[in-house]
Amino acid sequence: SISALVERSGVLEGTVTVVSRHTTTAITINEWESRLVDDIRSWLLGLAPPDDRSAIPVPGGGVRYLHNDIDKRPDSVDERRRCMENGWDVSSDKGSRGLAAWRAQEPINAHSHLLSMLLGSSESIPVHEGKLVLGQWQSVMLVDLDGPRDRTVGLQVTGFADESKINQ
């Protein structure tokens, strides 16, 4: 947990930053209550409804995003370069890491990217007297807008520590 990381760090006054490491997840602070979570999901899907080709289409939505035209991608030198840097040989249609394989694993998820931009990819939480400064009902939430899938976050604790308590 974030609180346990802060405690292990020995930081008494500072900040912990939580960063999403994915373009279709977000980090936010809110109340974790199941009915509110359902409301948030419905509200977000209303803001950026899934493409009609998505795994979770909105009936009669009529939504199409260019990002989801997988058969036309990668369509720029930059996108091809990023694919190659990530181990996909999109210059060839052969093999388990070729263009066809890349397209087959690429999800229809433009709405998830848009929602991630709205929610944000990080939060910085103050630390005072070795504890996170959060309200009674506040929780740090990783919002998976395109899952479920295995996800990771980055955590960084900065501040002034009690040297005698570090790594105990």
Side-chain angles (χ1 to χ4, degrees):
S1 80
I2 299 169
S3 294
L5 175 69
V6 170
E7 187 173 329
R8 279 194 315 274
S9 76
V11 167
L12 295 174
E13 303 295 330
T15 305
V16 60
T17 302
V18 183
V19 179
S20 167
R21 299 179 69 174
H22 308 277
T23 60
T24 58
T25 62
I27 304 291
T28 194
I29 296 174
N30 210 309
E31 180 177 0
W32 183 260
E33 185 274 320
S34 61
R35 295 179 66 82
L36 178 60
V37 170
D38 290 343
D39 289 338
I40 292 169
R41 183 176 193 275
S42 294
W43 180 72
L44 289 172
L45 290 174
L47 288 176
D51 191 299
D52 288 347
R53 299 166 287 178
S54 171
I56 53 166
V58 175
V63 176
R64 286 183 72 88
Y65 297 105
L66 297 176
H67 174 75
N68 294 339
D69 294 335
I70 305 299
D71 61 316
K72 294 178 175 59
R73 294 179 48 214
D75 67 349
S76 70
V77 171
D78 184 55
E79 188 178 11
R80 283 190 287 283
R81 178 186 52 78
R82 282 182 281 121
C83 288
M84 300 291 269
E85 287 172 356
N86 284 290
W88 294 98
D89 183 9
V90 294
S91 64
S92 169
D93 204 16
K94 298 179 181 151
S96 64
R97 302 293 288 177
L99 178 61
W102 177 79
R103 285 179 173 162
Q105 63 80 46
E106 187 68 9
I108 304 294
N109 65 354
H111 72 287
S112 300
H113 290 281
L114 297 172
L115 291 171
S116 175
M117 291 173 61
L118 289 175
L119 291 172
S121 62
S122 66
E123 289 285 351
S124 293
I125 302 112
V127 175
H128 177 64
E129 296 179 354
K131 305 286 184 208
L132 296 175
V133 179
L134 290 170
Q136 177 180 1
W137 300 107
Q138 289 182 315
S139 296
V140 179
M141 300 165 58
L142 172 67
V143 182
D144 192 336
L145 301 159
D146 189 34
R149 290 194 260 171
D150 288 337
R151 303 297 193 156
T152 59
V153 296
L155 298 169
Q156 182 180 44
V157 182
T158 57
F160 299 99
D162 178 347
E163 302 274 338
S164 68
K165 293 186 179 181
I166 296 177
N167 296 325
Q168 286 186 350

